[in-house]
Amino acid sequence: MVIGDRQRSALAADDSIRLLSDEELVEKIVDTNNTLLFGVLYDRYADRVYTKCRSFANSEDEAEDLTQDVFLTIYIKLGGFRGKSKFSSWVYSLTYNFCVNYVTRNKDRKIREQSKTIDAEERQLAVEVEDRSFFQMRSDKLKSVLQKIPPEDRTLLLLKYQDDVSVKELCALLDLGESAVKMRLKRAKAKTLAIYNALP
């Protein structure tokens, strides 16, 4: 969404707009359908959404395209924000789902707990991995490992440990129960640690 510099400057200078919380801003945008106000939200979240998209994309150009698509989706779905979680968490969730769908080429895919038997390999990976061992990984190797695990696992870990999204918020974002979210986190950490330890 492109906003002219003069209009953007006028908005930036308006303290009453700048000081609104995300939730108040969303309410005003939904009530007035004002795209200039949406530009304020865009400015607040553009860098964070781009960073998430970049973790899924193969290039900066692709990440920029994804970012624009995510913001278009946010604008379209803004009226559906109900305030059950923080607006930032809602944005992360929408970005996460959009990017996962993009990567898997399945636009109808939703993140839901599937009832399937855990095979022996998954059972072995589901052993408890302490956060301490997770935090002690070297950042350069960890970045490489994160590219090797499934996008769903990667983003779940980034939401939890990079963005500090609580388990309770993850439950709301993914529409899953607490035990299901904890199991997904446990498996994702175990897979990451296994790949990390296998690297030279």
Side-chain angles (χ1 to χ4, degrees):
M1 191 152 302
V2 178
I3 299 173
D5 289 339
R6 190 168 58 180
Q7 293 168 316
R8 188 184 294 274
S9 296
L11 279 175
D14 188 343
D15 279 346
S16 65
I17 299 297
R18 194 170 47 81
L19 295 176
L20 289 175
S21 70
D22 291 341
E23 291 73 18
E24 291 168 330
L25 199 50
V26 167
E27 191 175 334
K28 278 189 177 292
I29 294 166
V30 171
D31 287 346
T32 64
N33 205 27
N34 187 329
T35 56
L36 294 178
L37 290 177
F38 185 75
V40 176
L41 269 186
Y42 180 94
D43 287 344
R44 289 181 185 178
Y45 285 94
D47 288 343
R48 284 178 275 184
V49 169
Y50 172 81
T51 300
K52 292 228 170 297
C53 291
R54 186 66 184 95
S55 70
F56 285 90
N58 295 316
S59 68
E60 291 181 2
D61 287 342
E62 188 180 21
E64 286 172 8
D65 289 344
L66 266 176
T67 301
Q68 292 303 316
D69 290 344
V70 165
F71 274 103
L72 180 60
T73 305
I74 289 172
Y75 185 74
I76 291 168
K77 295 189 172 186
L78 208 54
F81 174 65
R82 295 287 175 253
K84 291 181 181 176
S85 61
K86 292 188 295 187
F87 180 72
S88 58
S89 298
W90 184 79
V91 169
Y92 294 148
S93 173
L94 197 146
T95 304
Y96 166 72
N97 286 324
F98 188 93
C99 289
V100 168
N101 287 338
Y102 172 81
V103 168
T104 59
R105 303 276 193 237
N106 178 4
K107 300 301 179 186
D108 296 322
R109 180 179 174 124
K110 293 189 179 178
I111 308 304
R112 302 231 181 268
E113 183 66 9
Q114 298 173 359
S115 55
K116 64 176 183 179
T117 307
I118 302 172
D119 62 24
E121 182 184 347
E122 282 184 315
R123 214 179 287 276
Q124 186 179 2
L125 287 174
V127 296
E128 189 65 49
V129 176
E130 290 189 25
D131 286 348
R132 186 181 61 214
S133 63
F134 199 59
F135 293 135
Q136 289 172 344
M137 295 179 180
R138 280 182 28 216
S139 61
D140 55 337
K141 280 177 74 174
L142 181 56
K143 187 174 181 181
S144 172
V145 170
L146 288 174
Q147 295 306 313
K148 297 178 189 300
I149 64 175
E152 296 92 339
D153 292 336
R154 177 169 66 241
T155 306
L156 185 62
L157 292 174
L158 290 174
L159 283 169
K160 177 73 171 74
Y161 296 104
Q162 178 178 283
D163 299 320
D164 202 26
V165 176
S166 69
V167 169
K168 184 178 178 181
E169 283 182 305
L170 286 172
C171 292
L173 294 176
L174 302 177
D175 195 21
L176 295 172
E178 186 173 334
S179 60
V181 168
K182 287 180 176 178
M183 180 56 78
R184 284 190 179 199
L185 278 168
K186 189 190 295 187
R187 288 184 195 155
K189 286 192 293 183
K191 287 177 191 175
T192 303
L193 187 62
I195 295 171
Y196 180 89
N197 289 335
L199 289 177

